[in-house]
Amino acid sequence: MNIKYFMKKALEQANKALLADEIPIGAVLVDNNNNKIISESYNLINANHNATQHAEMIVIHKACQKRQSKFLSNTSLFVTLEPCAMCAAAISEVHIDKIYFGAYDEKKGGLESMMKIYNQHHFFVPEVYGGMNELECSLLLKNFFLDQR
Amino acid sequence: MNIKYFMKKALEQANKALLADEIPIGAVLVDNNNNKIISESYNLINANHNATQHAEMIVIHKACQKRQSKFLSNTSLFVTLEPCAMCAAAISEVHIDKIYFGAYDEKKGGLESMMKIYNQHHFFVPEVYGGMNELECSLLLKNFFLDQR
């Protein structure tokens, strides 16, 4: 699987978020069997009037709709920021196999930074790879929040 | 606020789930200002082909749509089962003030049983009251899973 390619695709989504006045976080879900993108999105908190509409939640929703399946086995998630606890648990609920994320989230990261949610029992545990294209992913966010001040 | 009344409403939703072949968990979101129900639902995992479609997530989504607001301040959630980590984090994201839940979930409860998610920093922390109509809420689930065997 071409990790760099799919991280670029997630970054493309994050850049689209910027143009739409959303926090620049992008995500892409890929089918492990054929390396094709199933769904992609960015944060839609403002557009959907709902603070739970993180990029990962949208990508999961779109993929479930497309596959008409409650589980998303044999897929990999590429996301520009470390998923929060909500998204980490959602990723586990739908049985996504692998997570590749960009920047670490010191405040709300649910995989490594703020908490390690998969250390608890009774979770389906995906493989996790952090720090992909980290600098580009984190600069996008830092610049966005600097501009907001 | 009439806690028993709204727990009965959440139980009504859980019973509707049974008829729809979904896991019998129901939730109701109430406006703290006027004690009116904003949204109610049950688990829609099978109907929506999506393992993240817990009753709490649906209730949040419907309420955000109704209010056209990304936050749900000044509301109380009544739910028949202790929210999982995903739902607990989602409830925090949208700033729901109070959670009243029925049965404790030893395996996946994110508030008291499996983990105490709000013990971490950087969460908006709602007030939590567990064990409301506990016996009725847990029997509904136990009987459902016994029937599934």
Side-chain angles (χ1 to χ4, degrees), chain B residues 11-30:
Chain B
L11 273 157
E12 272 176 35
Q13 290 296 317
N15 277 297
K16 280 191 189 174
L18 264 190
L19 298 175
D21 260 336
E22 301 275 1
I23 301 169
I25 302 164
V28 171
L29 191 74
V30 177

Side-chain angles (χ1 to χ4, degrees), chain A residues 46 49 69-70 93 108, chain B residues 46 49 69-70 93 108:
Chain A
N46 293 325
H49 309 289
S69 163
K70 61 184 171 184
E93 286 291 329
K108 298 187 89 177
Chain B
N46 293 325
H49 309 289
S69 164
K70 61 184 170 184
E93 286 292 328
K108 299 188 89 176

Side-chain angles (χ1 to χ4, degrees), chain A residues 45-46 48-51 57 61 64-65 68-70 86 89-90 93 107-108 114-115 120 122-123, chain B residues 45-46 48-51 57 61 64-65 68-70 86 89-90 93 107-108 114-115 120 122-123:
Chain A
I45 289 175
N46 293 325
N48 289 0
H49 309 289
N50 182 339
M57 300 303 281
H61 181 70
C64 287
Q65 293 297 103
Q68 291 285 292
S69 163
K70 61 184 171 184
M86 172 186 71
E93 286 291 329
K107 279 194 184 166
K108 298 187 89 177
M114 190 266 282
M115 63 196 296
Q120 309 293 326
H122 303 296
F123 272 110
Chain B
I45 290 176
N46 293 325
N48 288 0
H49 309 289
N50 181 340
M57 302 303 279
H61 181 70
C64 287
Q65 293 297 105
Q68 292 285 292
S69 164
K70 61 184 170 184
M86 173 185 70
E93 286 292 328
K107 280 194 183 166
K108 299 188 89 176
M114 190 265 284
M115 62 197 297
Q120 309 293 326
H122 303 296
F123 271 111

